Amino acid sequence: RRGAIVETSPGRTRRLLPVPGDTYRDSNDAAAVLRRRGKEHEMKCNVGGIDRGLRIVAGLAILGWGFYAQNWWGAIGAVPLLTGLIGWCPAYLPFGGSTCQTKVASK
């Protein structure tokens, strides 16, 4: 079997399989590669303040309408509600969009 064995927590190990472009000599290098891979898939905030508020209000309104009308289509309101609550929208990923304010470095 190829790949390095990395200790992820006390007593638990994980085999890190090689991926094209990854090079490592020992388990310390492999652990660094594993940490780097994890950072590529972090959920970073991409829904800003006004956008979040609008999503939450729209989600609650759609859910409310669904309960009032006794219609299952109201369950769609859970999508904007959840994206507003967690501050991350997967639909922005393919386009690289974001409504979050970026931090400007001070001089």
Side-chain angles (χ1 to χ4, degrees), residues 71-93:
N71 191 328
W72 281 101
W73 282 103
I76 291 174
V79 174
L81 179 62
L82 289 175
T83 58
L85 290 174
I86 64 173
W88 181 74
C89 179
Y92 283 159
L93 290 179

Side-chain angles (χ1 to χ4, degrees), residues 55-77:
R55 286 171 184 262
I56 291 170
V57 169
L60 290 172
I62 295 169
L63 283 171
W65 169 82
F67 285 122
Y68 177 77
Q70 296 179 353
N71 191 328
W72 281 101
W73 282 103
I76 291 174

Side-chain angles (χ1 to χ4, degrees), residues 1-93:
R1 295 180 132 181
R2 294 178 12 190
I5 296 176
V6 180
E7 187 170 331
T8 56
S9 62
R12 300 183 99 181
T13 58
R14 176 176 172 183
R15 181 171 294 279
L16 181 64
L17 297 176
V19 173
D22 285 347
T23 57
Y24 45 85
R25 293 177 298 279
D26 58 17
S27 62
N28 289 332
D29 283 348
V33 169
L34 187 61
R35 283 191 299 273
R36 188 172 61 242
R37 279 192 209 164
K39 292 190 186 300
E40 293 171 0
H41 302 292
E42 284 181 2
M43 289 182 5
K44 296 179 182 173
C45 175
N46 63 4
V47 178
I50 295 173
D51 192 8
R52 286 179 90 163
L54 290 174
R55 286 171 184 262
I56 291 170
V57 169
L60 290 172
I62 295 169
L63 283 171
W65 169 82
F67 285 122
Y68 177 77
Q70 296 179 353
N71 191 328
W72 281 101
W73 282 103
I76 291 174
V79 174
L81 179 62
L82 289 175
T83 58
L85 290 174
I86 64 173
W88 181 74
C89 179
Y92 283 159
L93 290 179

